[in-house]
């Protein structure tokens, strides 16, 4: 439904830096709308770059920002790439972090978190979002989920063997864009972006390593919009 392509920064250039201004411009477009919106956000390096590139002076008190993904890392610390609080601080908007682990130790632990009333309210808000903006992670050996300590090497191997191609908000899908029904997907906190939403679901990702993940997410319409780089 919508696509922005940023010029590449040349060989060895940082794709995150290339797409950050275009991603920021797209978010600003929604933030400037008069009608109050619920804007749901993923996390990761691309979205953090988007926040850093946001124009100063935007006040968006009428909108609500909600996280799709848990904000607790495996060691109990706040997830480093969480963006909802950073954006909210910059644009003075009410915000709703997802107060659960990114990936829980067991499905039962994940269910216990999601049974809590405050969590249920944030989940409902995220599911009702008018706009979704997410990063797209690859599931190759340089998977962000592995690099950032959210999955083990053995878990990545298992999902790769099942055809894992990418992930959005921590939820892993195959090359056809179908979410896997095992592995960390049974323990992932937060809200899954369902395919074929009737509202904007925009992926923000660049660089050659992201191509299989982007293609799969577009194929099943987990994403119906894209901000990427020329490469």
């Amino acid at each position: 439904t919508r696509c922005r392509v940023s010029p590449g920064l040349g060989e060895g250039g940082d794709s995150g830096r290339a797409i950050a201004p275009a991603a920021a411009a797209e978010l600003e477009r929604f933030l400037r709308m008069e009608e109050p919106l619920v804007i749901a956000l993923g996390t990761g390096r691309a979205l953090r770059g988007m926040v850093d590139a946001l124009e100063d002076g935007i006040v968006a008190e009428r909108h609500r920002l909600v996280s799709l993904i848990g904000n607790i890392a495996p060691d109990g610390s706040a997830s480093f790439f969480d963006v909802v609080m950073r954006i909210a601080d910059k644009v003075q908007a009410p915000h709703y972090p997802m107060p659960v682990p990114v990936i829980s130790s067991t499905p039962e632990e994940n269910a216990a978190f999601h049974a809590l009333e405050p969590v249920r309210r944030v989940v409902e808000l995220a599911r009702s979002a008018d706009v979704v903006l997410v990063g797209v992670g690859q599931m190759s050996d340089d998977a962000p989920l592995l690099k950032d300590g959210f999955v083990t090497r053995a878990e990545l191997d298992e999902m790769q063997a099942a055809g894992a191609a990418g992930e959005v908000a921590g939820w892993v899908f195959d090359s056809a864009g179908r979410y896997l029904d095992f592995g960390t997907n049974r323990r992932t906190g937060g809200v899954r972006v369902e395919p074929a939403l009737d509202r904007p679901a925009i992926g923000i990702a660049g660089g050659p390593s992201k191509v299989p993940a982007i293609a799969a997410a577009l194929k099943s319409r987990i994403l119906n919009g894209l901000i990427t780089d020329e490469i």
Side-chain angles (χ1 to χ4, degrees):
T1 59
R2 190 167 182 85
C3 188
R4 287 176 179 258
V5 181
S6 294
L9 296 181
E11 190 173 342
D14 181 352
S15 62
R17 280 183 53 221
I19 63 176
E26 189 69 4
L27 176 57
E28 287 164 11
R29 187 173 73 87
F30 292 114
L31 292 174
R32 294 184 193 280
M33 290 182 179
E34 289 302 318
E35 183 182 346
L37 299 173
V38 175
I39 302 172
L41 296 146
T43 187
R45 293 165 179 81
L47 268 71
R48 186 156 178 166
M50 173 186 74
V51 182
D52 292 341
L54 270 179
E55 191 178 302
D56 290 331
I58 297 174
V59 177
E61 294 169 331
R62 62 196 171 281
H63 303 309
R64 288 179 288 173
L65 309 176
V66 60
S67 182
L68 289 166
I69 191 167
N71 67 347
I72 303 172
D75 64 357
S77 64
S79 179
F80 183 67
F81 293 106
D82 187 56
V83 297
V84 164
M85 296 175 78
R86 291 169 65 89
I87 297 176
D89 186 50
K90 202 160 186 178
V91 304
Q92 300 172 43
H95 63 286
Y96 301 81
M98 187 68 67
V100 301
V102 176
I103 298 174
S104 291
S105 300
T106 65
E108 293 77 17
E109 180 185 282
N110 188 41
F113 274 106
H114 279 257
L116 298 171
E117 182 61 25
V119 176
R120 287 212 306 263
R121 289 182 181 173
V122 176
V123 165
E124 286 167 12
L125 186 65
R127 285 182 175 149
S128 71
D130 301 295
V131 181
V132 173
L133 293 163
V134 288
V136 183
Q138 68 272 29
M139 289 300 288
S140 45
D141 289 345
D142 61 345
L145 286 178
L146 178 67
K147 282 202 294 189
D148 297 334
F150 294 114
V151 303
T152 65
R153 180 71 243 188
E155 288 167 337
L156 180 61
D157 289 344
E158 180 188 30
M159 289 186 283
Q160 286 176 337
E167 55 90 9
V168 162
W171 295 86
V172 180
F173 49 83
D174 65 15
S175 60
R178 295 176 300 232
Y179 286 112
L180 302 182
D181 190 27
F182 72 96
T184 58
N185 276 6
R186 292 187 173 167
R187 299 182 276 113
T188 301
V191 172
R192 192 167 78 175
V193 181
E194 296 300 336
L197 289 177
D198 60 356
R199 46 202 185 272
I202 299 169
I204 301 169
S209 66
K210 304 283 186 180
V211 170
I214 292 170
L218 289 172
K219 191 179 296 183
S220 67
R221 298 193 71 239
I222 289 171
L223 302 178
N224 57 37
L226 179 65
I227 298 166
T228 193
D229 62 343
E230 193 175 15
I231 256 177

